[in-house]
Amino acid sequence: DAGSSVDEMEFNWDEYLEDTGATAAPHGSFKHVDTSLQNGFAPGMKLEVAVKSDQNTYWVATIITTCGQLLLLRYDGYGEDRKADFWCDILTADLHPIGWCEQNRKVLKVPEGIKEKIPDQEEFLQRVLTRACSAPANLLEGLHRGKNPLDLIAPGSRLELQNTRDSLEAWIVTVVENVGGRLKLRYEGLEDSAKFDQWLFYLDPFLHQVGWAAQHGYSLQPPSAIRSLRSEADWQEILKKVKEEEEESSVPTDLFKDKPVIGVHSFLEGMKLEAVDPMAPFVISPATVLKVYNDKYFLIEMDDLRPERPTSRSYVCHVGSAGIFPVQWSLKNGLNLSPPPGYPGQDFDWADYLKQCGAEAAPQSCFPSLPSDHGFKENMKLEAVNPVDPEEVCIATVTRVKDSYLWLQLEGSKKAVPDCIVSVESMNIFPVGWCETNGYQLRPPRKAIVNKQKKIAVVQPEKQILSSRTVHDGLKNQELNSSDSVVINGKYCCPKIYFNHRCFSGPYLNKGRIAELPQSVGPGNCVLVLKEVLTLLINAAYKPSRVLRELQLDEEAAWHGHGETLKAKYKGKSYRATVEVVRTADRVAEFCRKTCIKLECCPNLFGPQMVLDKCSENCSVLTKTKYTHYYGKRKNKRIGRPPGGHSNLEVAMKKPNKRRKRRKQFFVHKKKRSSASVDNTPAGSPQGSGAEEEDDQDESELSHSLAQDRDKRKRKLRTFSFSDDENKPPSPKDVKMEAAEKLQLDSNPLEWSVADVVRFLKSTDCAPLARIFLDQEIDGQALLLLTLPTVQECMDLKLGPAIKLCHHIERVKLAFYQQFAN
């Protein structure tokens, strides 16, 4: 319905976790997701790379780290010296597996920088290449070059799926959809029917590449559930067609190298055990080993004592199958064992039941031990597949943990389901944010906790006055009702705090927003009034998170006041920090002055004194640069450097953008800053990068400055510090600005409108990003201020596209310097 669709669009994991007080399950606990993000290259692998200074010669390089389609390489011979490390784009760089030069008669030659270290090239190569691991040839050459291995399982690819209900036969399935490795599969021959579709993760032990059945002696037969839909002749014709098209639709075999290996079991027919039915994993019930196929597979049937069974609930298992337990496991773990249907009475007793059935219990040795250090705890949140409707992925809460099993409460499913039982190694559970990353709809809770008032906006003065008056009224009631109530004129009463908007606002606060603040806040309780003042200042900043970081309590500083938690929001991210606020009126003036100095603004910008005409600090004559030098607390450092030791500021993940594109590599970054470790994130920066904050600050400041001087087009070159080593993006390849690549501009980019910027981008290979520039209203002046960190943070781009975009921005900057700067 319409209401639920609104909730779906507005659901945000960060706000939900904050409002429920829950934590996300650690990303490292989802091994199958980690495996799915590996790009096939690993640190330590070697390859042959064209030497930059001489493109006709090559040398051996080692992979230092990987990031999507980018590799950080180091020529062999540099040892531990990192100064010559360089990035390469797999799609465009001249990279080859070890041995390629010899096969293609190309020259291997030591680069100039390490010639002295390698007197004997032959001896050196023989030494470093002995037992070396070469980068996979198929990922460096041909159709698969530069692709994430997971992307090779494209819609239309064919695989073989074992029948897991009643036999070991396999049948061909076609991939209908690939969502981050979770595959929607359709049996071959049922092209028009989705009724029998299945969802499986690509590492599922029962899913194989085409040809697996023949290699392992199993027959290719359609499952009994669909066999009657076509004649035998039709099925054979389908099989013949598949074999003819095998080359076109095959999936590389090395994709399955990380699949769990199926071990040898020791179960015997007739043994009893406890089991969870995979089709309805809500209870644990008695079950029987119905059939043993071979030393790897056996068939389990859920016990049913009714004279006329509706249907047999059986499924194929192997030694590592989840949901099978030894007899008495439930009792030992304080869990309820559900008696089989038709069992007389509710008090189930295993000893009586085994005697009645004349069966033996499967010994403990049949059941392998699963990991106990999995990281899951009660009340943690994650995303999980609804076992009743596998199309749905729901928000899940861990309600119970026993050994290596979780009980999950699913929220938001179309039909309510009981708590389901899953293994910690299940491939149907995913970390928080997985659906958003892969462009799949997560079912939000029925009543999504969405606080629509949390967005930062410039509040009009009269509304702000009302807000502070409301705070003041609330304060009076609170004070009068509290046990340590004091008179309103006592030592805890804060005088009026004035915002003197004509004073210098410093590098962090927006002068225009300061002017829109109320003339004053208070009087009232010190803590309440000062908290309101600081909140207004944070919201009046160019970058609220930056101001919050400046204000937050340094853990090493002496504690003199009262700790208050303040919040800020910037570009969809939520920030929280503890800020020290004084409690007594006699310290308010000093507190306001010190806070102003922290924010590098005029000490009279706000405080108990109203500035009428001229500020006593004479701040109006100072420019931002001079003022920062005069009052700045870090004269030798750039503005925006974090003061260090910020452990109390919490930051949340990016709020989903309604126009979000699919981003499959999101978890590469998420692993580095998982929700579990959110409290340790460096203050003010979701990625823990001070540089990103600084560059964004520089951007907002310069944009403001440029807006004021729009008519003055004369700029000194240093205004745009684009040639800084810090701001220059690390080039993924050795870019040569050849004549053909040099840009000739028809107009000055400083005068470009948003439409001009979009038009320029559409003429490059970054055309898909033009929409972002249009949405964020980036004109020519803003374009020239963009750097790699700001592009990555503000546009939420992966490193590869961000570098490509910055390459084009650098071309515009170079053309600007050459054609218009003088």
Side-chain angles (χ1 to χ4, degrees), residues 46-51 55-60 93-108 129 134-135 137 140-142 145:
K46 296 187 184 293
L47 33 72
E48 294 175 359
V49 192
V51 176
Q55 292 292 320
N56 295 318
T57 64
Y58 295 80
W59 189 242
V60 176
D94 199 357
L95 307 174
H96 304 280
I98 296 298
W100 180 86
C101 285
E102 189 177 346
Q103 292 168 11
N104 293 274
R105 298 182 181 177
K106 298 288 183 182
V107 179
L108 276 172
L129 296 180
S134 173
L140 290 170
E141 299 164 348
R145 180 177 178 182

Side-chain angles (χ1 to χ4, degrees), residues 19-218:
D19 292 338
T20 56
T23 57
H27 287 276
S29 298
F30 303 87
K31 303 288 190 297
H32 59 296
V33 175
D34 277 354
T35 302
S36 71
L37 294 170
Q38 293 168 5
N39 65 0
F41 295 95
M45 286 182 174
K46 296 187 184 293
L47 33 72
E48 294 175 359
V49 192
V51 176
K52 290 182 183 181
S53 55
D54 183 357
Q55 292 292 320
N56 295 318
T57 64
Y58 295 80
W59 189 242
V60 176
T62 301
I63 297 174
I64 303 301
T65 191
T66 67
C67 182
Q69 67 186 48
L70 296 178
L71 304 177
L72 182 64
L73 303 178
R74 182 182 302 164
Y75 285 126
D76 280 19
Y78 276 99
E80 297 301 314
D81 188 353
R82 296 184 296 176
K83 71 181 178 188
D85 291 3
F86 59 99
W87 287 95
C88 273
D89 188 325
I90 302 164
L91 285 175
T92 55
D94 199 357
L95 307 174
H96 304 280
I98 296 298
W100 180 86
C101 285
E102 189 177 346
Q103 292 168 11
N104 293 274
R105 298 182 181 177
K106 298 288 183 182
V107 179
L108 276 172
K109 184 179 175 184
V110 183
E112 289 294 329
I114 47 173
K115 260 190 175 179
E116 295 176 1
K117 296 183 180 180
I118 305 174
D120 187 341
Q121 177 176 312
E122 293 300 321
E123 184 273 333
F124 177 81
L125 285 174
Q126 189 174 357
R127 178 161 47 84
V128 297
L129 296 180
T130 303
R131 293 190 296 277
C133 176
S134 173
N138 66 314
L139 296 178
L140 290 170
E141 299 164 348
L143 294 173
H144 302 160
R145 180 177 178 182
K147 286 192 177 180
N148 183 323
L150 199 57
D151 295 338
L152 302 178
I153 312 178
S157 302
R158 289 193 177 106
L159 298 163
E160 288 180 4
L161 176 62
Q162 279 178 267
N163 183 353
T164 57
R165 300 308 297 169
D166 51 21
S167 71
L168 280 190
E169 294 163 344
W171 187 240
I172 309 293
V173 286
T174 302
V175 177
V176 178
E177 196 176 348
N178 178 356
V179 181
R182 189 168 180 253
L183 309 178
K184 186 178 185 179
L185 304 169
R186 184 167 297 165
Y187 284 115
E188 196 68 35
L190 302 183
E191 286 76 11
D192 303 324
S193 171
K195 182 181 176 184
F196 297 96
D197 286 1
Q198 297 188 51
W199 282 91
L200 290 175
F201 203 72
Y202 79 106
L203 295 172
D204 191 284
F206 289 99
L207 193 61
H208 313 278
Q209 71 270 27
V210 172
W212 175 88
Q215 289 171 15
H216 293 81
Y218 298 109

Side-chain angles (χ1 to χ4, degrees), residues 46 137 288 352 574 582 665 704 719:
K46 296 187 184 293
T288 306
D352 290 346
S574 299
V582 295
Q665 286 296 332
H704 183 64
T719 307

Side-chain angles (χ1 to χ4, degrees), residues 471 494-495 497 521-534:
V471 169
C494 180
I497 301 296
V521 174
N525 172 275
C526 282
V527 171
L528 223 54
V529 169
L530 293 176
K531 187 176 178 182
E532 175 77 357
V533 168
L534 295 179

Side-chain angles (χ1 to χ4, degrees), residues 418-438:
D419 285 12
C420 48
I421 305 166
V422 300
S423 161
V424 294
E425 295 187 336
S426 168
M427 296 185 195
N428 283 328
I429 57 175
F430 303 95
V432 160
W434 183 87
C435 280
E436 179 197 337
T437 302
N438 292 287

Side-chain angles (χ1 to χ4, degrees), residues 734-794:
D734 190 29
V735 178
K736 288 193 168 184
M737 302 302 277
E738 295 170 355
E741 200 175 2
K742 284 185 180 175
L743 198 61
Q744 285 296 321
L745 300 177
D746 297 325
S747 59
N748 189 336
L750 278 175
E751 298 169 2
W752 284 3
S753 65
V754 175
D756 293 331
V757 172
V758 168
R759 197 175 299 115
F760 165 72
L761 280 172
K762 285 186 175 176
S763 69
T764 70
D765 56 357
C766 289
L769 304 179
R771 181 76 197 178
I772 301 175
F773 281 71
L774 187 62
D775 292 343
Q776 298 195 13
E777 298 181 350
I778 296 173
D779 60 10
Q781 293 181 6
L783 179 76
L784 291 175
L785 292 166
L786 291 178
T787 61
L788 182 65
T790 53
V791 162
Q792 278 187 278
E793 183 184 9
C794 303

Side-chain angles (χ1 to χ4, degrees), residues 272-304:
K272 295 283 184 184
L273 64 159
E274 296 180 3
V276 175
D277 184 354
M279 301 303 287
F282 311 119
V283 293
I284 302 172
S285 302
T288 306
V289 177
L290 192 64
K291 186 176 182 180
V292 174
Y293 294 107
N294 52 34
D295 63 352
K296 289 193 174 179
Y297 300 102
F298 53 97
L299 188 70
I300 278 183
E301 183 180 49
M302 305 304 293
D303 286 1
D304 191 336

